[in-house]
Amino acid sequence: MADRRPKWVKEEFLTYIYILIYIALSSGQIFFNKWVLSSKEINFPYPLGLTLLHMVFSSVLCFVLTKVLKIMKVEEGMTLDIYVSSVLPIGAMFAMTLWLGNTAYLYISVAFAQMLKAIMPVAVFILGVLAGLEVMSCRMLLIMSVISFGVLVASVGEISINWVGVVYQMGGVVGEALRLIFMEIFVKRKGLKLNPISMMYYVSPCSAVCLLLPWIFLEMPRMDAQGTWNFKPLVLTLNSLCTFALNLSVFLVISHTSALTIRVAGVVKDWVVVLLSALLFADTKLTLINLFGYAIAIAGVAAYNNHKLKREASRVNSDNSAESIPLVSTSTSNQ
């Protein structure tokens, strides 16, 4: 018992360290992107180019880590059919999410962007119902209404609202919701589960190609015309490295806890970002209506996470009960 307790305490301590690292990296990356995109010192207002750089950097680094240095292993089982039918849509939606989300920072404050992101569970639920992955119920309808009302109140409280930025941010939310739906279909129907490193190994090149085409037509001519190719490579490399480190931190948290912990940590991170942005950026002016509406939305998100946790727990219990019956096949095709 004396030996087990220190080991348990050590594991708990490491788990909290991983969560804090995730919150710090996620918050820091949001501020870093905002600084790179809108700062006069960096002078790189090209969200497509920045996102493309992230994906190319991630693709190269994943290849080096898995194929050259062989520090990490890519999980097997990927086929051309799975890649085209599942990974390609996920990569396209991932590219769309990052592109539109980063573009929104050119028009709205970091704090308001985070408040709009609280509508994510609503988008995921509606698309999940349409895809047959979710079931409409009075409880879920109430939770979605609470979240929507909170985001609406937070938007009303925004002093200088820019509807272009709102459209970009909501487009990013829809893209992320579609990505999550595609990933759930990918896991449930294809029966293939990949860790985040393997997922980034397959998804990053696809996302880079999806971003390359619009970048050539939308941003490259502007960069040529304005002569902004002389950017700071060290800053952009560090920015890309932070993005990759953020993905690794997600892997560490999920491997030591669960996907739900990431959601809860994400709620904490959102509050940190909202409050810190008011101190760091001049374009962020929080009002009591802002905070009140966001608090309502976060309460709805917490209720949504709790509902998902109970449903996942009941699913695990039913699976364990089924495995205890000798007459039921123990096929592992869907694991």
Side-chain angles (χ1 to χ4, degrees), residues 89-106:
I90 291 173
M93 290 304 102
F94 191 42
M96 173 182 169
T97 299
L98 296 176
W99 168 24
L100 298 181
N102 285 333
T103 305
Y105 291 140
L106 297 175

Side-chain angles (χ1 to χ4, degrees), residues 51-331:
T51 309
L52 175 60
L53 181 63
H54 289 167
M55 292 297 99
V56 172
F57 185 89
S58 178
S59 301
V60 173
L61 197 53
C62 281
F63 180 80
V64 171
L65 291 175
T66 57
K67 299 301 182 180
V68 179
L69 300 178
K70 297 183 178 180
I71 298 176
M72 300 174 181
K73 184 179 179 181
V74 177
E75 297 180 17
E76 303 296 333
M78 182 63 64
T79 64
L80 180 61
D81 175 66
I82 293 177
Y83 193 89
V84 172
S85 63
S86 298
V87 177
L88 189 59
I90 291 173
M93 290 304 102
F94 191 42
M96 173 182 169
T97 299
L98 296 176
W99 168 24
L100 298 181
N102 285 333
T103 305
Y105 291 140
L106 297 175
Y107 301 94
I108 59 178
S109 67
V110 171
F112 188 46
Q114 294 304 118
M115 292 178 186
L116 292 176
K117 282 183 183 178
I119 203 73
M120 178 71 69
V122 178
V124 172
F125 179 73
I126 292 175
L127 292 173
V129 171
L130 295 177
L133 300 173
E134 298 281 355
V135 178
M136 182 66 72
S137 65
C138 293
R139 179 171 181 173
M140 287 303 295
L141 188 61
L142 177 61
I143 292 175
M144 297 303 111
S145 300
V146 170
I147 296 175
S148 302
F149 177 72
V151 173
L152 179 62
V153 172
S155 301
V156 171
E158 184 68 10
I159 296 176
S160 55
I161 188 169
N162 187 311
W163 289 107
V164 175
V166 172
V167 170
Y168 274 119
Q169 185 62 31
M170 297 309 294
V173 167
V174 172
E176 177 65 8
L178 285 171
R179 185 182 75 89
L180 294 175
I181 294 298
F182 285 139
M183 287 187 68
E184 188 166 353
I185 294 174
F186 174 55
V187 171
K188 284 186 175 181
R189 297 184 182 176
K190 303 296 181 181
L192 182 63
K193 294 184 179 181
L194 302 176
N195 62 44
I197 294 298
S198 299
M199 182 62 73
M200 290 301 296
Y201 175 84
Y202 291 116
V203 169
S204 295
C206 175
S207 297
V209 172
C210 293
L211 291 165
L212 179 62
L213 296 178
W215 175 77
I216 290 175
F217 292 102
L218 296 178
E219 287 189 353
M220 191 172 75
R222 288 172 50 207
M223 294 177 70
D224 288 333
Q226 298 178 12
T228 53
W229 286 95
N230 295 323
F231 48 80
K232 298 182 178 180
L234 181 60
V235 174
L236 296 181
T237 301
L238 183 59
N239 182 264
S240 301
L241 186 60
C242 288
T243 301
F244 189 81
L246 173 59
N247 292 326
L248 281 180
S249 70
V250 172
F251 168 69
L252 288 173
V253 173
I254 292 179
S255 63
H256 284 78
T257 55
S258 66
L260 183 69
T261 305
I262 282 289
R263 297 189 195 128
V264 176
V267 171
V268 177
K269 178 263 299 181
D270 289 343
W271 273 109
V272 171
V273 170
V274 167
L275 297 177
L276 283 181
S277 63
L279 301 175
L280 297 177
F281 296 105
D283 64 346
T284 302
K285 294 179 176 61
L286 296 178
T287 65
L288 290 178
I289 299 178
N290 271 145
L291 296 176
F292 178 67
Y294 189 51
I296 294 175
I298 290 300
V301 172
Y304 173 79
N305 289 336
N306 182 60
H307 176 77
K308 295 287 285 186
L309 175 62
K310 290 181 178 178
R311 195 172 70 173
E312 290 172 7
S314 63
R315 184 185 298 122
V316 170
N317 291 334
S318 63
D319 290 343
N320 292 336
S321 299
E323 289 177 359
S324 65
I325 301 176
L327 296 178
V328 177
S329 174
T330 56
S331 173

